[in-house]
Amino acid sequence: MPFVETNRLKLVTFTVQMMEALSISKSELEKIVPYNIAEGYPMEVYRQFFAYKIERFQRFPDENEWEGIIINKKDNTIIGDMGFKGGPNEEGIIDIGYSIVPNYQGKGYATEIGKAMVEWGLSQPNVKKIVATCDPDNLSSQRVLKKIGFSLINTTDKKLYWSY
């Protein structure tokens, strides 16, 4: 993933080496990156995905180019992550996902970097459309997706489906 930058944030590739270090501990990650790590990162719900992502990116290294960590430029701190879940499928569709730690939520960071990532994603070869999903009770994520410019296209009891 190329370097994506906004006024307050930057997004850099979340490498396998970084994921492996973080799966051990935050202090292991701090040894290999020039960033502080926000309290609560990574969010516990996402820890379960590290083993899967590490194994997947080792088998398909090109997919890693679609994953990034979000750094707050003001305090040089990792505050979350964002990516396109493996890159475009056969129809040119990419699926965006993101997380921001609680202490940095509600400040417009997800919307800011999300807009930049959508612009970047749509500029990539073979990408025609961006989609997202979120839980029906995740009102914050719904607000972010609307502000970025996504439209709700389908709902089920367990998921809301969005398209840009």
Side-chain angles (χ1 to χ4, degrees), residues 73-154:
K73 295 190 307 189
K74 183 178 181 181
D75 58 12
N76 199 42
T77 299
I78 297 171
I79 65 168
D81 47 67
M82 183 173 280
F84 288 114
K85 300 180 186 176
N89 67 14
E90 309 78 45
E91 291 92 36
I93 300 171
I94 52 179
D95 185 351
I96 195 169
Y98 51 89
S99 70
I100 302 285
V101 296
N103 288 346
Y104 287 83
Q105 292 176 2
K107 297 173 174 61
Y109 293 127
T111 300
E112 182 176 325
I113 199 71
K115 286 179 180 178
M117 283 293 288
V118 164
E119 184 178 314
W120 179 83
L122 289 173
S123 74
Q124 301 309 299
N126 303 318
V127 173
K128 297 178 179 130
K129 181 179 179 180
I130 301 176
V131 298
T133 59
C134 70
D135 294 335
D137 61 347
N138 190 340
L139 300 178
S140 297
S141 191
Q142 292 175 48
R143 282 192 297 274
V144 167
L145 291 167
K146 287 176 187 175
K147 288 178 187 176
I148 292 171
F150 280 79
S151 299
L152 184 62
I153 58 169
N154 193 19

Side-chain angles (χ1 to χ4, degrees), residues 13-76:
T13 302
F14 194 6
T15 67
V16 168
Q17 180 188 17
M18 293 162 74
M19 288 179 203
E20 288 172 334
L22 190 56
S23 69
I24 297 168
S25 69
K26 283 172 52 170
S27 62
E28 286 299 310
L29 179 59
E30 289 171 328
K31 291 176 185 177
I32 64 169
V33 298
Y35 312 114
N36 302 311
I37 302 171
E39 182 65 36
Y41 186 79
M43 293 172 64
E44 198 57 42
V45 67
Y46 295 105
R47 282 188 179 275
Q48 63 187 331
F49 296 115
F50 284 145
Y52 166 78
K53 284 185 176 186
I54 290 166
E55 186 270 328
R56 178 96 187 161
F57 294 156
Q58 287 171 336
R59 286 192 3 221
F60 305 101
D62 291 347
E63 289 185 7
N64 192 213
E65 294 302 312
W66 298 86
E67 296 281 333
I69 54 169
I70 304 166
I71 295 113
N72 181 323
K73 295 190 307 189
K74 183 178 181 181
D75 58 12
N76 199 42

